Amino acid sequence: MIIYEYKNKSYLRKPFSSDSENDQISERKISGEGTVYSVTTIYVPPAEFVQESPYTVAIIQLKNTTLKVTARIEEPVQIGETVHFTKFKNGAYHFKNRV
């Protein structure tokens, strides 16, 4: 998993900046491991996700960063559990229990 650092802040996506500032954006590879900060199951989703319900989403505190990411969870989890990034699909980060 790659994060971007710019002006002492971290981002999951490359921040927009002028061409002259692009040299100041650095990439850092992280493990993709994190801790479940919050978790909920969606039973009544928006129309585009009806076929996928119920599904679980969580806020994940990424290890060794200040970043938290909202993600789809592929397996049941509890707050405080360690999870691992598996893929980025349809605009969503996906995590699962670390095996």
Side-chain angles (χ1 to χ4, degrees):
M1 186 174 205
I2 302 289
I3 63 170
Y4 300 92
E5 295 173 331
Y6 176 68
K7 293 189 176 182
N8 297 321
K9 292 187 180 180
S10 297
Y11 301 89
L12 287 168
R13 296 188 183 183
K14 196 169 190 176
F16 293 109
S17 64
S18 67
D19 288 338
S20 63
E21 293 176 318
N22 277 337
D23 293 339
Q24 298 174 29
I25 298 172
S26 61
E27 292 183 4
R28 180 165 60 107
K29 186 172 181 159
I30 62 171
S31 68
E33 187 176 289
T35 303
V36 177
Y37 181 83
S38 175
V39 64
T40 191
T41 300
I42 308 296
Y43 292 97
V44 182
E48 62 267 29
F49 300 112
V50 168
Q51 71 282 359
E52 298 178 33
S53 73
Y55 57 91
T56 302
V57 295
I59 297 175
I60 309 299
Q61 171 69 58
L62 296 174
K63 184 177 180 179
N64 299 324
T65 75
T66 59
L67 294 173
K68 290 184 178 94
V69 60
T70 302
R72 296 284 293 266
I73 298 294
E74 299 173 6
E75 302 164 337
V77 295
Q78 294 182 2
I79 293 172
E81 279 190 65
T82 299
V83 291
H84 198 308
F85 173 73
T86 58
K87 62 187 170 190
F88 185 80
K89 180 180 175 187
N90 296 329
Y93 292 89
H94 289 250
F95 282 75
K96 69 176 184 175
N97 291 13
R98 188 168 186 130
V99 283

